[in-house]
Short mmCIF file of all heavy atoms in Angstrom, two decimals:
data_model
loop_
_atom_site.label_atom_id
_atom_site.label_comp_id
_atom_site.label_asym_id
_atom_site.label_seq_id
_atom_site.Cartn_x
_atom_site.Cartn_y
_atom_site.Cartn_z
N HIS A 4 -5.74 17.06 -10.68
CA HIS A 4 -4.41 16.48 -10.55
C HIS A 4 -4.36 15.11 -9.88
O HIS A 4 -3.36 14.42 -9.98
CB HIS A 4 -3.51 17.43 -9.76
CG HIS A 4 -3.34 18.77 -10.39
ND1 HIS A 4 -2.85 18.93 -11.66
CD2 HIS A 4 -3.65 20.02 -9.94
CE1 HIS A 4 -2.83 20.22 -11.96
NE2 HIS A 4 -3.30 20.90 -10.94
N GLU A 5 -5.40 14.72 -9.16
CA GLU A 5 -5.34 13.53 -8.32
C GLU A 5 -5.78 12.27 -9.07
O GLU A 5 -6.49 12.33 -10.07
CB GLU A 5 -6.23 13.71 -7.08
CG GLU A 5 -5.63 14.62 -6.03
CD GLU A 5 -5.56 16.08 -6.42
OE1 GLU A 5 -6.35 16.50 -7.30
OE2 GLU A 5 -4.72 16.81 -5.90
N LEU A 6 -5.41 11.13 -8.51
CA LEU A 6 -5.98 9.86 -8.94
C LEU A 6 -6.11 8.95 -7.72
O LEU A 6 -5.49 9.17 -6.68
CB LEU A 6 -5.17 9.19 -10.06
CG LEU A 6 -3.71 8.79 -9.82
CD1 LEU A 6 -3.59 7.46 -9.07
CD2 LEU A 6 -2.99 8.68 -11.15
N ARG A 7 -6.94 7.93 -7.86
CA ARG A 7 -7.19 7.04 -6.72
C ARG A 7 -7.17 5.59 -7.14
O ARG A 7 -7.78 5.19 -8.15
CB ARG A 7 -8.56 7.37 -6.11
CG ARG A 7 -8.79 6.72 -4.75
CD ARG A 7 -9.67 5.51 -4.79
NE ARG A 7 -9.59 4.75 -3.55
CZ ARG A 7 -10.37 3.74 -3.24
NH1 ARG A 7 -11.31 3.35 -4.08
NH2 ARG A 7 -10.22 3.08 -2.11
N VAL A 8 -6.42 4.78 -6.38
CA VAL A 8 -6.39 3.32 -6.55
C VAL A 8 -6.91 2.70 -5.25
O VAL A 8 -7.05 3.37 -4.24
CB VAL A 8 -4.97 2.82 -6.87
CG1 VAL A 8 -4.45 3.43 -8.16
CG2 VAL A 8 -4.01 3.10 -5.72
N GLU A 9 -7.21 1.42 -5.29
CA GLU A 9 -7.61 0.69 -4.09
C GLU A 9 -6.35 0.05 -3.51
O GLU A 9 -5.83 -0.92 -4.05
CB GLU A 9 -8.65 -0.38 -4.41
CG GLU A 9 -9.12 -1.18 -3.22
CD GLU A 9 -9.83 -0.33 -2.17
OE1 GLU A 9 -10.91 0.21 -2.46
OE2 GLU A 9 -9.27 -0.21 -1.06
N SER A 10 -5.86 0.59 -2.39
CA SER A 10 -4.55 0.19 -1.87
C SER A 10 -4.48 -1.30 -1.57
O SER A 10 -3.44 -1.93 -1.79
CB SER A 10 -4.23 0.99 -0.61
OG SER A 10 -4.07 2.35 -0.92
N ARG A 11 -5.54 -1.87 -1.05
CA ARG A 11 -5.52 -3.30 -0.70
C ARG A 11 -5.25 -4.17 -1.92
O ARG A 11 -4.71 -5.27 -1.81
CB ARG A 11 -6.85 -3.70 -0.07
CG ARG A 11 -7.19 -2.98 1.20
CD ARG A 11 -8.45 -3.56 1.79
NE ARG A 11 -8.99 -2.68 2.82
CZ ARG A 11 -10.01 -2.98 3.61
NH1 ARG A 11 -10.59 -4.16 3.48
NH2 ARG A 11 -10.45 -2.14 4.52
N ASP A 12 -5.66 -3.69 -3.07
CA ASP A 12 -5.44 -4.41 -4.32
C ASP A 12 -4.17 -3.93 -5.01
O ASP A 12 -3.40 -4.73 -5.57
CB ASP A 12 -6.65 -4.20 -5.24
CG ASP A 12 -6.43 -4.77 -6.63
OD1 ASP A 12 -6.35 -6.00 -6.74
OD2 ASP A 12 -6.33 -3.98 -7.58
N ALA A 13 -3.91 -2.62 -4.95
CA ALA A 13 -2.81 -2.04 -5.71
C ALA A 13 -1.44 -2.48 -5.19
O ALA A 13 -0.53 -2.76 -5.99
CB ALA A 13 -2.91 -0.51 -5.70
N ILE A 14 -1.27 -2.54 -3.88
CA ILE A 14 0.05 -2.88 -3.34
C ILE A 14 0.43 -4.33 -3.68
O ILE A 14 1.56 -4.59 -4.15
CB ILE A 14 0.09 -2.63 -1.82
CG1 ILE A 14 -0.06 -1.13 -1.53
CG2 ILE A 14 1.38 -3.16 -1.22
CD1 ILE A 14 1.01 -0.25 -2.15
N PRO A 15 -0.46 -5.31 -3.50
CA PRO A 15 -0.09 -6.67 -3.95
C PRO A 15 0.17 -6.77 -5.45
O PRO A 15 1.08 -7.49 -5.89
CB PRO A 15 -1.30 -7.52 -3.55
CG PRO A 15 -1.94 -6.76 -2.44
CD PRO A 15 -1.73 -5.32 -2.76
N ARG A 16 -0.60 -6.05 -6.24
CA ARG A 16 -0.39 -6.10 -7.69
C ARG A 16 0.93 -5.44 -8.08
O ARG A 16 1.64 -5.93 -8.97
CB ARG A 16 -1.56 -5.43 -8.43
CG ARG A 16 -2.83 -6.26 -8.43
CD ARG A 16 -3.95 -5.57 -9.19
NE ARG A 16 -5.16 -6.38 -9.19
CZ ARG A 16 -5.45 -7.31 -10.10
NH1 ARG A 16 -4.60 -7.53 -11.11
NH2 ARG A 16 -6.56 -8.01 -10.04
N LEU A 17 1.26 -4.34 -7.43
CA LEU A 17 2.54 -3.68 -7.71
C LEU A 17 3.70 -4.60 -7.33
O LEU A 17 4.69 -4.71 -8.05
CB LEU A 17 2.62 -2.36 -6.95
CG LEU A 17 3.90 -1.54 -7.11
CD1 LEU A 17 4.17 -1.20 -8.57
CD2 LEU A 17 3.83 -0.28 -6.25
N THR A 18 3.56 -5.27 -6.18
CA THR A 18 4.59 -6.22 -5.74
C THR A 18 4.77 -7.34 -6.76
O THR A 18 5.90 -7.68 -7.14
CB THR A 18 4.21 -6.80 -4.37
OG1 THR A 18 4.07 -5.73 -3.42
CG2 THR A 18 5.27 -7.77 -3.87
N ALA A 19 3.67 -7.92 -7.20
CA ALA A 19 3.74 -9.03 -8.16
C ALA A 19 4.34 -8.57 -9.48
O ALA A 19 5.14 -9.30 -10.10
CB ALA A 19 2.35 -9.62 -8.38
N TRP A 20 4.00 -7.37 -9.91
CA TRP A 20 4.54 -6.88 -11.17
C TRP A 20 6.04 -6.61 -11.07
O TRP A 20 6.80 -6.98 -11.97
CB TRP A 20 3.81 -5.60 -11.59
CG TRP A 20 4.34 -5.03 -12.87
CD1 TRP A 20 4.16 -5.53 -14.13
CD2 TRP A 20 5.19 -3.89 -13.01
NE1 TRP A 20 4.82 -4.75 -15.06
CE2 TRP A 20 5.46 -3.73 -14.39
CE3 TRP A 20 5.71 -2.97 -12.11
CZ2 TRP A 20 6.26 -2.69 -14.89
CZ3 TRP A 20 6.50 -1.94 -12.58
CH2 TRP A 20 6.77 -1.81 -13.96
N LEU A 21 6.47 -6.03 -9.96
CA LEU A 21 7.91 -5.81 -9.77
C LEU A 21 8.66 -7.15 -9.76
O LEU A 21 9.76 -7.26 -10.32
CB LEU A 21 8.16 -5.04 -8.48
CG LEU A 21 7.83 -3.56 -8.51
CD1 LEU A 21 7.85 -2.95 -7.11
CD2 LEU A 21 8.78 -2.80 -9.43
N ALA A 22 8.06 -8.15 -9.13
CA ALA A 22 8.69 -9.48 -9.13
C ALA A 22 8.81 -10.02 -10.56
O ALA A 22 9.82 -10.63 -10.92
CB ALA A 22 7.89 -10.44 -8.26
N SER A 23 7.80 -9.78 -11.38
CA SER A 23 7.85 -10.24 -12.77
C SER A 23 8.90 -9.50 -13.59
O SER A 23 9.35 -9.99 -14.63
CB SER A 23 6.47 -10.08 -13.43
OG SER A 23 6.23 -8.72 -13.77
N GLN A 24 9.31 -8.32 -13.09
CA GLN A 24 10.32 -7.52 -13.77
C GLN A 24 11.73 -7.80 -13.25
O GLN A 24 12.69 -7.14 -13.65
CB GLN A 24 10.00 -6.03 -13.62
CG GLN A 24 8.66 -5.61 -14.15
CD GLN A 24 8.50 -5.94 -15.62
OE1 GLN A 24 9.26 -5.48 -16.47
NE2 GLN A 24 7.53 -6.79 -15.93
N GLY A 25 11.85 -8.78 -12.34
CA GLY A 25 13.17 -9.21 -11.90
C GLY A 25 13.55 -8.82 -10.49
O GLY A 25 14.63 -9.20 -10.02
N VAL A 26 12.69 -8.06 -9.78
CA VAL A 26 12.97 -7.74 -8.39
C VAL A 26 12.69 -8.97 -7.54
O VAL A 26 11.63 -9.60 -7.65
CB VAL A 26 12.11 -6.56 -7.90
CG1 VAL A 26 12.36 -6.28 -6.42
CG2 VAL A 26 12.40 -5.31 -8.74
N GLU A 27 13.62 -9.34 -6.67
CA GLU A 27 13.44 -10.49 -5.79
C GLU A 27 12.82 -10.02 -4.47
O GLU A 27 13.19 -8.99 -3.93
CB GLU A 27 14.78 -11.18 -5.52
CG GLU A 27 14.67 -12.44 -4.66
CD GLU A 27 15.99 -13.15 -4.47
OE1 GLU A 27 16.92 -12.91 -5.27
OE2 GLU A 27 16.09 -13.94 -3.51
N PHE A 28 11.88 -10.81 -3.96
CA PHE A 28 11.25 -10.50 -2.68
C PHE A 28 11.45 -11.67 -1.72
O PHE A 28 11.33 -12.83 -2.11
CB PHE A 28 9.74 -10.27 -2.87
CG PHE A 28 9.40 -8.96 -3.51
CD1 PHE A 28 9.40 -8.83 -4.90
CD2 PHE A 28 9.11 -7.84 -2.75
CE1 PHE A 28 9.10 -7.63 -5.51
CE2 PHE A 28 8.80 -6.63 -3.34
CZ PHE A 28 8.81 -6.52 -4.72
N ARG A 29 11.78 -11.33 -0.50
CA ARG A 29 11.84 -12.33 0.57
C ARG A 29 10.92 -11.87 1.69
O ARG A 29 11.14 -10.82 2.31
CB ARG A 29 13.25 -12.48 1.10
CG ARG A 29 14.22 -13.15 0.13
CD ARG A 29 15.49 -13.54 0.85
NE ARG A 29 16.55 -13.89 -0.09
CZ ARG A 29 17.80 -14.15 0.28
NH1 ARG A 29 18.13 -14.09 1.57
NH2 ARG A 29 18.70 -14.45 -0.62
N GLN A 30 9.87 -12.66 1.94
CA GLN A 30 8.94 -12.36 3.02
C GLN A 30 9.30 -13.17 4.26
O GLN A 30 10.06 -14.13 4.20
CB GLN A 30 7.50 -12.67 2.57
CG GLN A 30 6.94 -11.68 1.58
CD GLN A 30 7.26 -12.00 0.13
OE1 GLN A 30 7.70 -13.10 -0.18
NE2 GLN A 30 7.05 -11.04 -0.75
N LEU A 31 8.72 -12.76 5.37
CA LEU A 31 8.91 -13.42 6.66
C LEU A 31 10.39 -13.50 7.04
O LEU A 31 10.85 -14.50 7.61
CB LEU A 31 8.27 -14.81 6.65
CG LEU A 31 6.75 -14.83 6.43
CD1 LEU A 31 6.24 -16.26 6.29
CD2 LEU A 31 6.02 -14.12 7.57
N GLU A 32 11.13 -12.46 6.70
CA GLU A 32 12.55 -12.39 7.01
C GLU A 32 12.83 -10.99 7.58
O GLU A 32 12.72 -10.00 6.85
CB GLU A 32 13.40 -12.66 5.76
CG GLU A 32 14.89 -12.72 6.05
CD GLU A 32 15.70 -13.22 4.86
OE1 GLU A 32 15.09 -13.77 3.91
OE2 GLU A 32 16.93 -13.04 4.86
N ALA A 33 13.16 -10.94 8.84
CA ALA A 33 13.38 -9.66 9.50
C ALA A 33 14.85 -9.28 9.46
O ALA A 33 15.73 -10.14 9.65
CB ALA A 33 12.90 -9.71 10.95
N VAL A 34 15.11 -8.01 9.23
CA VAL A 34 16.48 -7.50 9.27
C VAL A 34 16.78 -7.07 10.70
O VAL A 34 16.06 -6.26 11.29
CB VAL A 34 16.65 -6.32 8.29
CG1 VAL A 34 18.04 -5.70 8.44
CG2 VAL A 34 16.43 -6.80 6.86
#
């Protein structure tokens, strides 16, 4: 049932892909 990704690579790639799909990201901005 399991699968494994490399988190150090997967999280930046997921972020970039979501941005390409129209999600806006703002870094260095604290709520």
Side-chain angles (χ1 to χ4, degrees):
H4 300 302
E5 284 69 24
L6 60 81
R7 192 258 166 171
V8 299
E9 180 63 66
S10 294
R11 299 185 194 187
D12 173 68
I14 295 300
R16 286 181 180 271
L17 179 59
T18 302
W20 179 73
L21 285 168
S23 76
Q24 302 302 300
V26 177
E27 183 177 341
F28 286 85
R29 290 193 193 174
Q30 288 86 14
L31 298 174
E32 185 170 345
V34 175

